Amino acid sequence: MTQAARPLAAVSLKAYLGHAETARWLAVVRPVAAARPAVEVAVLPQLTSVPEAVAVLGDVCAVGAQSVSVADPGAATGEVPAAVLAELGVRYGEIGHAERRAAGESDDLFAAQARAAVGVGVEPLICVGEDPRTDPVDAAVRCVRQLDAVLAGVAPSVPVVVAYEPVWAIGAEDPAPATHVTEVADRLRRWAQHRGRTVRLLYGGTAGPGTFAALHPHVDGLFLGRRAHDPAALADVLDEMARTVRAGEDS
């Protein structure tokens, strides 16, 4: 992460909240994010709440979509083309989450989603991670294999966000050990440099208060889930991220 770059805190609401609950959450989170401009916040609600999120947060936060369709406008019943996401104001499109892999989606599909997102100006947020638990070297090899497959059709000059989420840490009691994450992150950073890619690297997998301080400067931010669904906990994470980056710049 460059000195001028803000850390990124991306928050997926998954399918935990209904539309009315999401609207209330957005209203509470708006002043939380607005008061902490040192951190970029991106919110990824359910697709049906994307317009609400853009309307409420659009001037203080980025908005993302939890999936990207590969369908073109036309005869594609039930699909929401990537062009519509861009029209709505979506900046980030999540691709390759472990829960989508568990549902049977493949790297070939994720590669098509990445191309569709980039084609309409939506920045891919690509999730990678190993399952089952393994050592950091093998974990990085597995993640690189996923990244090379998903980004095969995306030019190296296109900026992407990569969220390292070890599958065994998603929904666990604690995040993956910092020693494991930092080694994987450093290897992914070297992969990006070798490929000439511009990458912002996040950690996800039971991330919450305390996680960023343990991982910085090896990662550029966090991909948050249920622990950020409490706005007070999200505020704590954003404050910690800002303090950590500021302390690193002052040292």
Side-chain angles (χ1 to χ4, degrees):
M1 183 169 62
T2 65
Q3 187 172 19
R6 293 188 297 165
L8 171 61
V11 184
S12 175
L13 297 183
K14 300 195 177 190
Y16 281 103
L17 307 180
H19 181 69
E21 292 175 302
T22 299
R24 289 192 288 271
W25 186 89
L26 294 170
V28 175
V29 163
R30 176 184 166 80
V32 170
R36 294 162 175 84
V39 180
E40 179 189 349
V41 179
V43 173
L44 289 75
Q46 295 181 64
L47 182 59
T48 49
S49 296
V50 163
E52 180 83 8
V54 172
V56 174
L57 299 179
D59 60 335
V60 295
C61 297
V63 175
Q66 295 179 21
S67 185
V68 178
S69 173
V70 299
D72 293 324
T77 301
E79 298 289 338
V80 179
V84 175
L85 298 180
E87 181 183 358
L88 290 174
V90 165
R91 176 173 175 183
Y92 297 108
E94 184 179 356
I95 296 168
H97 192 277
E99 290 159 6
R100 303 314 308 164
R101 291 183 182 275
E105 296 181 0
S106 68
D107 282 337
D108 287 343
L109 175 60
F110 300 144
Q113 290 176 336
R115 293 192 301 271
V118 170
V120 296
V122 172
E123 188 170 339
L125 192 166
I126 300 170
C127 301
V128 296
E130 77 279 9
D131 186 26
R133 184 171 182 170
T134 184
D135 63 86
V137 175
D138 184 55
V141 168
R142 292 172 185 239
C143 292
V144 164
R145 189 180 301 126
Q146 294 167 14
L147 286 167
D148 280 337
V150 174
L151 291 173
V154 176
S157 58
V158 174
V160 298
V161 178
V162 173
Y164 170 54
E165 296 192 298
V167 179
W168 46 272
I170 298 174
E173 195 65 29
D174 297 301
T179 52
H180 176 96
V181 176
T182 55
E183 183 168 350
V184 174
D186 289 348
R187 289 175 178 273
L188 294 181
R189 191 83 70 189
R190 289 196 291 272
W191 161 84
Q193 292 171 347
H194 180 70
R195 298 292 194 273
R197 290 198 172 276
T198 301
V199 168
R200 297 174 79 184
L201 187 59
L202 312 183
Y203 170 75
T206 316
T211 306
F212 187 73
L215 301 179
H216 180 76
H218 301 269
V219 301
D220 303 313
L222 299 175
F223 195 19
L224 302 159
R226 56 189 169 86
R227 290 195 171 180
H229 296 176
D230 175 2
L234 175 59
D236 288 343
V237 171
L238 299 182
D239 287 339
E240 174 194 321
M241 293 176 75
R243 284 196 308 270
T244 302
V245 170
R246 187 165 58 246
E249 292 174 348
D250 292 342
S251 62

